[in-house]
Amino acid sequence: MIMLDNSTLYNEDLAPIPQSKRTWGTFNYAALWISMSLCIPTYMLASSLIEGGMNWWESILTIFIGNTVVLIPMILNGHAGAKYGIPFPVFARASFGTKGANIPAVLRAIVACGWFGIQTWIGGFALYQMFRLWIPALETLPQIFPNSFQLQTGPAIMFFLFWLLNMFVVYLGVESIKKLLLFKAFFLPAAALALLFWAINAGHGLGPILDQPSKLVGNNFWHYFFPALTGMVGYWATLSLNIPDFTRYAKSQRSQVVGQLIGLPPSMTLFSFIGVVVTSATFIIYGKTIWDPVALAGKFDNKLLVSFAMIAVALSTLATNIAANIVSPANDFSNLSPSKINFRTGGYITGIIGIFICPWKLIADPNGYIFTWLIAYSSLLGPIGGIMIADYYFIRKQQLTVSEMYEPKGQYSFTNGFNKFAIIALLLGILPNVPGFLLQVKLVSSEAFPAWILQLYNYAWFVGFFVSGIIYLFLMRNYKVVDLVNKELINNVAIN
């Protein structure tokens, strides 16, 4: 193993994983994706499309296509993790520089903070739905937040309590979450199937549910489909970047490729189908679509049933939150100052930012969830993915010198630790999507820019990915890769 302990760019969390400790096989990656896919936001992803006007098969097809598309950069970026045993922030040093890597790391971390906040809000709201049945006064507490916060006192209290529980688990360490992940693996699929059978029974069979027509016809469908597809890609855009955080433990390239292939699209599509059926059934049962499963469960009359369901949702959400939304941003923040920020400190930073992002606003309605949240952050992460893939496959031909990635003045330091070409490509990839985002958040009028420029936002991830990737290749066309690979003890740090 290469001795890197004295480097200021090194700590145990960022260290390359030696071959002897790479123990994840195909089953582990399939199980990882099944576990991460089975969560409330996945259900809401599908049900939001129904709320937006799609019928059941249009929703499922959109989700399947989106997850198949995002699987491509997922596997491509995962290759470096599996070959060299390095996490995402270290991999980013190859294209952005040893200091510049903090830019994609922090952008990705802030998005993870948003997801942490969303999951924490869901868990807290589940607790609120339970406690308000037993303590009715919780619903009528005086308002303490300004109207602009759009936050009621009762749900806010439960959100903060659930946030404290998350932070306590961070304090205990990731090992403490294993039993909750096991609980989730058994409970959530069973609960989802129970909800499906309830919907089929209450909706008088699958026939009436699946017969619900699409509300989108002709051009209206395509105007909704493409931004919705971008949102589906954006859903896992974070993991498509930091997948090396997981593939660094792979026994082989085949393990991570096949595991992700059989784990991601099928599990997302299956769980989304449940969300589509249940949401479609709510229109038949209640006369309106209810896209939030926690809000739906709150309509049931049986206190014990609702309490059991909400406690289970809170526990499974807690498990997902720590595993999916704490581990990676903690690594990203650690990359800012490896000698000062460890996992626990990075977890606390994630939690604090997760509050300030105001997650209750992000999922207040389906349009905000897809068009403001998912598409907006995909416009940041798409360009990063394009740059990293262009660098790894076209500039470096999949050859990295691991020891140099921890050297402050090595070949990956570029100019004072920054690769200016990567930063320029990143900014130029984000730029085309800015007008559409400003329109989406109502900071400009629809007449402020030409219509075709505003519409680029509907394809934000794709635009950013290809614009940044192509510009990066052009700017780096004269770059000479330093051949230090043969000087590396490659067999100790990489697998072919």
Side-chain angles (χ1 to χ4, degrees):
M1 184 69 193
I2 297 169
M3 300 302 293
L4 304 167
D5 304 57
N6 296 326
S7 172
T8 57
L9 297 174
Y10 173 91
N11 66 23
E12 291 185 2
D13 296 320
L14 299 176
I17 302 297
Q19 179 63 59
S20 60
K21 294 184 179 180
R22 301 181 198 176
T23 58
W24 287 34
T26 300
F27 173 78
N28 298 103
Y29 288 103
L32 173 73
W33 277 114
I34 292 170
S35 175
M36 288 201 293
S37 297
L38 292 178
C39 62
I40 302 300
T42 298
Y43 175 105
M44 296 170 76
L45 189 73
S47 55
S48 65
L49 296 180
I50 293 293
E51 173 74 7
M54 287 186 168
N55 63 23
W56 75 272
W57 68 263
E58 291 169 345
S59 303
I60 294 300
L61 185 62
T62 303
I63 290 168
F64 178 77
I65 293 173
N67 281 278
T68 302
V69 169
V70 81
L71 186 64
I72 298 171
M74 196 90 67
I75 290 173
L76 291 176
N77 274 326
H79 185 279
K83 184 173 183 178
Y84 296 101
I86 53 176
F88 160 67
V90 175
F91 178 36
R93 293 171 185 173
S95 50
F96 283 86
T98 50
K99 292 181 180 178
N102 288 317
I103 297 172
V106 169
L107 287 176
R108 185 262 174 268
I110 290 174
V111 171
C113 292
W115 275 120
F116 172 83
I118 286 174
Q119 291 274 21
T120 304
W121 174 257
I122 290 171
F125 194 68
L127 294 180
Y128 170 75
Q129 292 283 42
M130 177 187 72
F131 279 110
R132 72 181 181 84
L133 295 177
W134 302 97
I135 312 173
L138 198 61
E139 291 187 85
T140 56
L141 291 173
Q143 188 70 14
I144 61 175
F145 296 98
N147 291 333
S148 61
F149 273 54
Q150 301 174 20
L151 185 62
Q152 295 179 329
T153 304
I157 292 172
M158 292 298 108
F159 168 66
F160 183 66
L161 290 176
F162 190 67
W163 180 88
L164 286 176
L165 179 60
N166 278 264
M167 292 299 97
F168 180 65
V169 173
V170 171
Y171 172 78
L172 295 177
V174 182
E175 293 298 316
S176 63
I177 208 69
K178 281 186 175 180
K179 291 182 180 179
L180 284 177
L181 284 170
L182 184 64
F183 165 82
K184 173 193 171 179
F186 284 98
F187 173 80
L188 204 55
L193 289 174
L195 197 58
L196 176 64
F197 290 134
W198 167 83
I200 293 173
N201 181 62
H204 310 295
L206 268 178
I209 294 172
L210 300 184
D211 281 343
Q212 295 293 308
S214 173
K215 300 173 185 175
L216 304 171
V217 181
N219 288 334
N220 288 334
F221 172 80
W222 296 111
H223 287 156
Y224 187 82
F225 170 76
F226 286 110
L229 178 64
T230 303
M232 300 309 107
V233 174
Y235 186 75
W236 288 123
T238 51
L239 267 294
S240 72
L241 292 183
N242 74 278
I243 192 65
D245 289 341
F246 299 95
T247 59
R248 63 198 293 220
Y249 301 101
K251 293 179 181 178
S252 66
Q253 291 292 350
R254 185 180 185 279
S255 297
Q256 68 101 359
V257 172
V258 177
Q260 294 195 79
L261 188 63
I262 64 177
L264 176 56
S267 57
M268 281 292 293
T269 304
L270 177 61
F271 194 58
S272 297
F273 177 74
I274 295 175
V276 164
V277 169
V278 175
T279 305
S280 298
T282 60
F283 184 79
I284 297 173
I285 300 165
Y286 299 109
K288 63 177 183 178
T289 53
I290 302 174
W291 77 297
D292 183 348
V294 177
L296 174 60
K299 284 187 167 292
F300 298 157
D301 297 325
N302 189 311
K303 289 184 178 180
L304 290 176
L305 176 63
V306 172
S307 298
F308 174 76
M310 294 301 97
I311 290 173
V313 166
L315 288 176
S316 63
T317 299
L318 176 66
T320 300
N321 222 10
I322 301 299
N325 301 319
I326 287 289
V327 174
S328 293
N331 284 342
D332 295 335
F333 288 126
S334 178
N335 192 64
L336 286 171
S337 181
S339 61
K340 296 179 181 179
I341 302 177
N342 58 16
F343 168 80
R344 186 178 293 171
T345 305
Y348 294 154
I349 295 172
T350 301
I352 293 169
I353 295 176
I355 294 177
F356 287 110
I357 284 179
C358 300
W360 54 89
K361 290 186 178 182
L362 295 178
I363 59 170
D365 67 85
N367 284 332
Y369 185 47
I370 293 178
F371 294 97
T372 302
W373 171 237
L374 293 178
I375 296 181
Y377 80 64
S378 77
S379 68
L380 298 176
L381 303 188
I384 296 172
I387 291 167
M388 293 178 66
I389 289 173
D391 181 82
Y392 183 63
Y393 286 93
F394 296 99
I395 302 296
R396 304 190 186 279
K397 313 295 183 185
Q398 304 172 35
Q399 297 300 316
L400 300 174
T401 308
V402 175
S403 61
E404 288 281 299
M405 305 185 91
Y406 297 87
E407 283 289 340
K409 296 183 180 180
Q411 66 165 306
Y412 302 113
S413 63
F414 295 94
T415 305
N416 298 321
F418 294 91
N419 181 1
K420 64 180 180 181
F421 293 142
I423 296 171
I424 292 171
L426 174 63
L427 293 174
L428 293 178
I430 294 172
L431 187 61
N433 296 311
V434 172
F437 172 75
L438 295 176
L439 176 64
Q440 179 63 33
V441 296
K442 297 180 173 58
L443 290 179
V444 300
S445 69
S446 58
E447 287 77 34
F449 297 94
W452 69 271
I453 291 180
L454 295 173
Q455 290 172 5
L456 290 176
Y457 180 71
N458 293 336
Y459 315 90
W461 184 89
F462 299 95
V463 171
F465 183 90
F466 288 107
V467 168
S468 286
I470 293 170
I471 290 175
Y472 181 79
L473 287 176
F474 175 77
L475 295 175
M476 292 284 286
R477 66 192 185 281
N478 295 323
Y479 178 77
K480 302 296 182 184
V481 177
V482 180
D483 185 16
L484 294 177
V485 175
N486 294 327
K487 298 179 183 180
E488 186 96 25
L489 294 177
I490 198 79
N491 293 329
N492 291 332
V493 295
I495 54 178
N496 295 314

